[in-house]
Amino acid sequence: MSSSESARIEVIPDRRTAGWDLLWSELSVLFRRRRTWAMLAAVALIPILLAIAVRLSTSTLAAGEGPPFLSRVTQNGLFVGFTSMVVAIPLFLPLTIGVVAGDTIAGEAGQGTLRYLLVAPAGRVRLLLVKYAGAAAFCLAAALILTVAGLLIGAALFPVGPVTLLSGDVISVPEALLRSLLVAAYVSLSLLGLSAIGLFISTLTDVPVGAMAATVVVSVVAQILDILPQLAWLHPWLFSHYWLGFADLLRQPLDWASFGTNAVVQLCYIVIFGALAYSRFATKNIQS
Amino acid sequence: MTVPAADFAIVTEGLTKRFGQQTAVNSIDLAVPSGSVFGFLGPNGSGKTTSIRMFLGLVQPTSGTVRVLGERMPDRLHTVLPRVGALVEGPAFYPYLSGIDNLRRYDSADRYASSRSRSARIDSALERVGLGNAAQKKVHAYSLGMKQRLGIANALLRPRELLVLDEPTNGLDPQGTREVRSLVGALAAEGTTVFVSSHLLSEVAQMCTHAAVMSAGNIVAQGTLAELRGVDTARVRVLTPDADLAVETLRHLGLAAERSHMDGTATWVLAPVRDEVAEPETIASALQSAGVRIRAFSVEEPSLEERFVALTGEGFDVVQ
């Protein structure tokens, strides 16, 4: 075990690695946590509860009543996923993102592991990037799980067939599945701005619950601002403004416009709040 | 004092940290010789942990410099810290992960740690601190002492040139304390510089070759243990009913003897001794041949404790 018999130890470091290990470690720690799976399970419950409620109810909905697409669910199970996305995106998904993104740095600080990661040394910038990547992976996982659960329960409880799009065109089942994945991609993209805000807030405190709550509050405030007509000038710049824009992905031909605009807005938030998180965290005194 | 940096594992110059109005660390000049086991003593709240956090790049100094292994911190943190193992202000782990997975997590944060040797290195670190059997247990089931051991294992994941151990025996039972002491000895024998902070004098006295004493943000003393004790102030203590005769005899030998307090019918006579003046056995036989009746005779090294209480003032351990 003793590595050297000489009086002075010469530590020849292993070669510097690319450093991907920390990313895998982050993903494995995140997705091995029971809390993460509890949240993902709750996400999966949304389409399941929605489908069961629709199946059990005898009254038929008039078109346009309830959340968008709800009236179509009984005719085609593939709509369960879309409908539950609409239901989940204003509050439930931001809530889970708030938990994950708010926990990124503050959670490590709160339990004291931050100082050990930094003396390892993880590198502050690298740690921020890895933490953000973890939050982004959670966004993708949540959107995918919601989509997959929606497809499965939809197929189990309702007929499945070619899908009539908002534009009136009909697409085949495989193409509808592809569109479902596109919607999942759109929704995870939509949540990246909020994740960046959560990451920044998380660098401000050692109390993870505070950072989580603040992130959720930010998402609620953004949505309130988004419905005030007096602030119409601000609306295109709100990270939540395009959250429901995925309906454009259900037109024929595919309309990428809102996907693109959404990506630009999210990118702006990532750049701004990423920079804020960096400036805050790079020189922060780690006292936890 | 300018010395080649390589001879010192840690050197600080005028290192200062202020938090608002409060000065936590006040312009300290510390020099930790390479290969030493260096004790960093001071009451809780004296600025030890803030200093350590500055050495490790966790806290930015307000002014002054730190060099660790010859390199400026925190600028050269990425190349310095892989060569440093640290236990900072108690162990901290992911409670929902096992001991082994916690070490995996920390090791994967070090870009110089090869993933190929990871399992082997983790196993040997766990063996070294006696946690081999608890490796698969979740950390929330660990006792404080086990967490402390795991924290030390984390510091030993790779061969290190410098180990910074902040209160390493906190929460350990006497057995564990002894194990840590012998571990520190073994690591020092391998050539690692060990920097141990503690508020326990006895611990430092038993483990360390050098020490520095901190009090209220200042370093009030540093040097080898012998220097700190003050080697030339050992003293002889004689308990005798013939106090006057004893004092006279000792003064004949060239010692500045003095009467101290009474103890029953006898009196303590004290005299500082220097080896070059008189060996203790010479003193004892001189007293006997002068007819001094001796009830007790001892030569006392000045205790570190007395020295440190003198340095740090009242209430050395009050805050712990």
Side-chain angles (χ1 to χ4, degrees):
Chain A
M1 159 82 226
S2 119
S3 53
S4 152
E5 301 300 322
S6 64
R8 175 170 296 176
I9 200 160
E10 280 302 328
V11 177
I12 297 142
D14 297 323
R15 227 171 14 170
R16 188 159 183 255
T17 61
W20 290 103
D21 285 7
L22 184 60
L23 179 61
W24 305 134
S25 162
E26 176 64 25
L27 293 177
S28 106
V29 168
L30 177 64
F31 286 102
R32 277 163 64 186
R33 260 192 108 153
R34 231 179 276 164
R35 184 178 77 192
T36 307
W37 285 107
M39 289 193 299
L40 291 176
V43 166
L45 268 181
I46 296 173
I48 295 173
L49 290 178
L50 184 134
I52 293 174
V54 170
R55 187 83 174 87
L56 294 182
S57 97
T58 46
S59 62
T60 47
L61 283 171
E65 198 182 343
F69 313 122
L70 188 61
S71 54
R72 300 176 182 227
V73 165
T74 45
Q75 297 136 42
N76 196 331
L78 292 179
F79 276 99
V80 173
F82 301 138
T83 314
S84 13
M85 210 58 108
V86 175
V87 172
I89 209 169
L91 185 62
F92 198 78
L93 285 178
L95 204 68
T96 58
I97 302 308
V99 170
V100 171
D103 195 48
T104 45
I105 300 293
E108 302 278 0
Q111 84 196 340
T113 44
L114 181 60
R115 61 176 183 267
Y116 285 106
L117 288 174
L118 291 181
V119 301
R124 297 192 181 201
V125 177
R126 180 160 158 254
L127 187 61
L128 274 182
L129 290 174
V130 161
K131 282 291 178 182
Y132 187 72
F138 180 84
C139 294
L140 186 62
L144 278 180
I145 282 187
L146 198 147
T147 302
V148 170
L151 289 173
L152 293 179
I153 191 77
L157 297 185
F158 303 104
V160 168
V163 171
T164 311
L165 293 174
L166 300 176
S167 53
D169 299 275
V170 178
I171 56 170
S172 64
V173 172
E175 171 142 26
L177 292 179
L178 198 67
R179 298 275 175 124
S180 297
L181 289 180
L182 266 182
V183 168
Y186 183 96
V187 168
S188 16
L189 175 74
S190 301
L191 296 169
L192 291 183
L194 181 62
S195 302
I197 295 173
L199 180 74
F200 167 60
I201 295 175
S202 195
T203 62
L204 301 178
T205 173
D206 295 346
V207 185
V209 179
M212 295 173 192
T215 309
V216 175
V217 166
V218 167
S219 100
V220 172
V221 168
Q223 293 179 74
I224 291 173
L225 296 180
D226 204 14
I227 56 172
L228 295 179
Q230 289 82 354
L231 296 176
W233 55 272
L234 180 66
H235 292 171
W237 300 103
L238 291 169
F239 60 88
S240 57
H241 188 64
Y242 302 94
W243 276 2
L244 293 170
F246 61 80
D248 285 352
L249 298 173
L250 303 178
R251 295 179 203 282
Q252 192 76 306
L254 243 173
D255 182 357
W256 288 96
S258 54
F259 202 108
T261 325
N262 187 18
V264 170
V265 171
Q266 300 304 328
L267 190 68
C268 289
Y269 277 87
I270 294 170
V271 169
I272 292 169
F273 284 91
L276 284 173
Y278 168 76
S279 66
R280 167 71 187 150
F281 190 59
T283 56
K284 188 184 184 185
N285 289 324
I286 307 300
Q287 299 273 60
S288 58
Chain B
M1 170 177 85
T2 45
V3 270
D7 290 346
F8 289 91
I10 303 174
V11 180
T12 74
E13 276 169 22
L15 187 65
T16 301
K17 181 66 192 180
R18 274 188 283 277
F19 295 106
Q21 292 294 315
Q22 199 207 341
T23 304
V25 175
N26 186 15
S27 189
I28 63 171
D29 298 311
L30 187 73
V32 177
S34 292
S36 64
V37 178
F38 196 101
F40 197 37
L41 270 164
N44 294 338
S46 57
K48 281 177 304 182
T49 298
T50 303
S51 304
I52 289 175
R53 282 174 184 262
M54 285 193 279
F55 304 161
L56 298 173
L58 291 171
V59 165
Q60 311 280 328
T62 307
S63 61
T65 60
V66 192
R67 281 176 181 278
V68 176
L69 301 174
E71 311 238 40
R72 273 289 288 273
M73 292 292 279
D75 317 355
R76 304 280 297 156
L77 179 152
H78 294 276
T79 48
V80 173
L81 289 184
R83 297 146 68 200
V84 179
L87 179 70
V88 195
E89 219 181 359
F93 296 103
Y94 303 84
Y96 45 87
L97 295 182
S98 67
I100 205 165
D101 285 340
N102 267 288
L103 294 189
R104 257 174 206 293
R105 164 79 167 160
Y106 287 141
D107 195 61
S108 67
D110 179 355
R111 292 181 72 171
Y112 289 91
S114 115
S115 55
R116 206 168 305 161
S117 62
R118 185 163 293 144
S119 297
R121 287 183 292 112
I122 288 175
D123 287 347
S124 78
L126 286 169
E127 284 305 324
R128 200 150 190 192
V129 298
L131 274 182
N133 295 326
Q136 303 293 344
K137 253 200 211 174
K138 295 260 196 297
V139 165
H140 68 72
Y142 275 29
S143 68
L144 179 56
M146 289 164 78
K147 285 182 192 157
Q148 193 75 14
R149 286 163 190 255
L150 191 60
I152 296 172
N154 175 47
L156 301 178
L157 282 178
R158 303 211 293 126
R160 311 283 193 182
E161 286 166 67
L162 170 66
L163 277 178
V164 176
L165 303 175
D166 192 2
E167 305 276 357
T169 58
N170 249 8
L172 292 180
D173 49 23
Q175 170 71 15
T177 307
R178 281 179 50 181
E179 285 171 24
V180 166
R181 221 180 291 139
S182 76
L183 184 63
V184 166
L187 291 162
E190 286 168 25
T192 302
T193 308
V194 188
F195 183 90
V196 190
S197 91
S198 179
H199 62 275
L200 297 175
L201 295 161
S202 55
E203 197 169 282
V204 168
Q206 289 177 72
M207 283 196 279
C208 300
T209 58
H210 294 67
V213 185
M214 243 189 136
S215 175
N218 296 289
I219 288 192
V220 290
Q222 66 177 314
T224 64
L225 276 207
E227 282 165 8
L228 285 174
R229 274 197 190 104
V231 257
D232 46 14
T233 56
R235 60 188 183 180
V236 63
R237 304 176 76 212
V238 184
L239 183 63
T240 170
D242 311 317
D244 291 336
L245 186 56
V247 169
E248 196 182 321
T249 313
L250 290 169
R251 287 192 176 155
H252 267 292
L253 288 169
L255 300 171
E258 274 178 7
R259 293 171 71 119
S260 182
H261 56 283
M262 298 277 292
D263 191 347
T265 58
T267 307
W268 281 106
V269 173
L270 308 180
V273 287
R274 290 186 197 83
D275 284 351
E276 64 270 21
V277 176
E279 302 271 320
E281 50 270 34
T282 323
I283 300 171
S285 65
L287 285 168
Q288 275 193 316
S289 45
V292 175
R293 292 170 288 166
I294 299 173
R295 292 197 184 156
F297 180 90
S298 64
V299 179
E300 278 184 351
E301 293 285 319
S303 78
L304 268 181
E305 180 141 9
E306 285 170 26
R307 181 87 175 107
F308 290 139
V309 171
L311 287 169
T312 59
E314 287 287 312
F316 183 71
D317 261 358
V318 167
V319 224
Q320 70 168 294

